[in-house]
């Protein structure tokens, strides 16, 4: 089984387990409601892979290709609260980043620094299910979701790939209609940098690229329940 398929299998196993644990709460009488949520946050950097010099090119430094965050990320979601414990959400997130080449040690033993390859915009679309654990006015929660991630680099073609996310957080109820929350998520995408963006490298390198990327995200949000 490939690495990406293993990740998908683990994701759906965890999703099924959480859902089965929450099924008894569906029988509880609860008024159903919709919510609109605005969020802002920060996505951490991730690495696509590296270029390793071939054995007969000892003076050639290695190159690490990474995706580095640029500014805040923003999100919008529409939720449907089935019970006080389960909510379905359709989520959209937007962020900006830079694709960077970090060149290793040069002939003088000095790091050669970083070079920007391209600015890029990232769009995340997902359907999530949230499991709340109500404690008076505060509710810790778990969230899992599946969707698509689109990257639009300035200097390369755009690509869309499968996207998974899971995380945890806590919601604070401010009033009957307003609530705020803080959450941390792991965004898992499956880009193959040289193939997806048609990037070619000199033959003096041996490419070593990951089949998946993890980006940790921290978000604060404000929700209005109708």
């Amino acid at each position: 089984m490939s690495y990406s398929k293993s990740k998908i299998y683990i994701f759906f196993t965890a999703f099924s387990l959480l859902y089965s644990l929450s099924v008894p709460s569906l029988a509880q009488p609860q008024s159903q409601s919709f919510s609109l949520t605005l969020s802002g946050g920060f996505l951490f950097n991730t690495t696509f892979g590296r270029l390793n010099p071939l054995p007969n090119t000892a003076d050639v430094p290695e190159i690490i290709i990474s995706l580095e965050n640029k500014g805040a990320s923003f999100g919008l979601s529409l939720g449907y609260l089935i019970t006080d414990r389960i909510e379905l959400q359709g989520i959209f997130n937007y962020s900006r980043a830079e694709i960077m080449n970090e060149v290793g040690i040069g002939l003088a033993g000095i790091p050669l620094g970083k070079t920007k390859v391209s600015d890029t915009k990232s769009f995340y679309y997902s359907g999530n299910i949230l499991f709340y654990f109500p404690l008076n006015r505060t509710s810790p929660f778990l969230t899992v979701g599946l969707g698509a991630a689109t990257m639009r680099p300035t200097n390369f073609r755009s690509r869309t790939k499968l996207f998974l996310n899971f995380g945890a957080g806590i919601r604070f109820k401010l009033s009957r209609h307003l609530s705020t929350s803080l959450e941390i998520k792991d965004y898992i995408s499956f880009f193959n940098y040289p193939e997806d963006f048609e990037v070619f490298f000199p033959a003096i390198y041996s490419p070593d690229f990951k089949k998946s990327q993890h980006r940790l995200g921290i978000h604060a949000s404000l929700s209005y329940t109708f």
Side-chain angles (χ1 to χ4, degrees):
M1 183 180 292
S2 67
Y3 181 77
S4 60
K5 289 183 178 179
S6 298
K7 284 285 184 181
I8 296 173
Y9 176 77
I10 293 172
F11 171 82
F12 281 111
T13 300
F15 180 90
S16 300
L17 178 61
L18 288 171
Y19 181 79
S20 64
L21 291 174
S22 64
V23 166
S25 65
L26 292 173
Q28 299 174 1
Q30 174 71 28
S31 58
Q32 300 169 339
S33 58
F34 288 94
S35 65
L36 183 66
T37 301
L38 298 175
S39 65
F42 179 85
L43 293 178
F44 288 83
N45 303 335
T46 188
T47 302
F48 288 115
R50 66 181 64 225
L51 298 174
N52 299 312
L54 295 175
N56 59 342
T57 56
D59 295 334
V60 177
E62 71 170 2
I63 299 176
I64 299 174
I65 296 92
S66 60
L67 184 68
E68 298 191 0
N69 184 69
K70 184 180 178 181
S73 65
F74 301 95
L76 177 67
S77 63
L78 180 64
Y80 178 58
L81 193 66
I82 301 175
T83 74
D84 63 341
R85 295 180 180 273
I86 302 175
E87 183 177 13
L88 303 178
Q89 282 189 348
I91 302 174
F92 167 77
N93 276 292
Y94 164 80
S95 67
R96 296 180 301 147
E98 298 173 334
I99 299 175
M100 304 291 291
N101 282 357
E102 182 176 355
V103 185
I105 305 299
L107 293 176
I110 301 174
L112 299 179
K114 296 182 179 182
T115 303
K116 183 171 72 172
V117 178
S118 177
D119 290 311
T120 184
K121 297 177 181 178
S122 298
F123 304 87
Y124 298 94
Y125 318 86
S126 69
N128 277 49
I129 183 167
L130 286 75
F131 302 89
Y132 293 103
F133 304 92
L135 299 172
N136 199 0
R137 299 181 68 88
T138 63
S139 299
F141 63 86
L142 300 175
T143 176
V144 292
L146 172 67
T150 298
M151 284 188 61
R152 293 183 180 174
T154 303
N155 300 330
F156 307 127
R157 66 175 183 174
S158 298
R159 292 293 291 173
T160 299
K161 286 286 188 174
L162 177 70
F163 158 63
L164 308 175
N165 71 89
F166 63 90
I170 186 167
R171 182 182 66 175
F172 304 91
K173 190 172 182 180
L174 303 177
S175 66
R176 179 180 177 184
H177 295 286
L178 286 177
S179 62
T180 185
S181 63
L182 181 66
E183 65 179 332
I184 182 168
K185 282 184 178 180
D186 185 9
Y187 292 81
I188 308 171
S189 56
F190 300 91
F191 291 99
N192 187 324
Y193 179 73
E195 293 183 7
D196 291 333
F197 302 108
E198 297 183 343
V199 181
F200 300 96
F201 303 103
I204 58 175
Y205 287 106
S206 172
D208 180 17
F209 286 91
K210 301 177 180 179
K211 294 183 179 180
S212 65
Q213 300 80 42
H214 290 259
R215 293 190 75 185
L216 197 64
I218 298 177
H219 305 280
S221 60
L222 180 67
S223 300
Y224 182 84
T225 302
F226 297 93

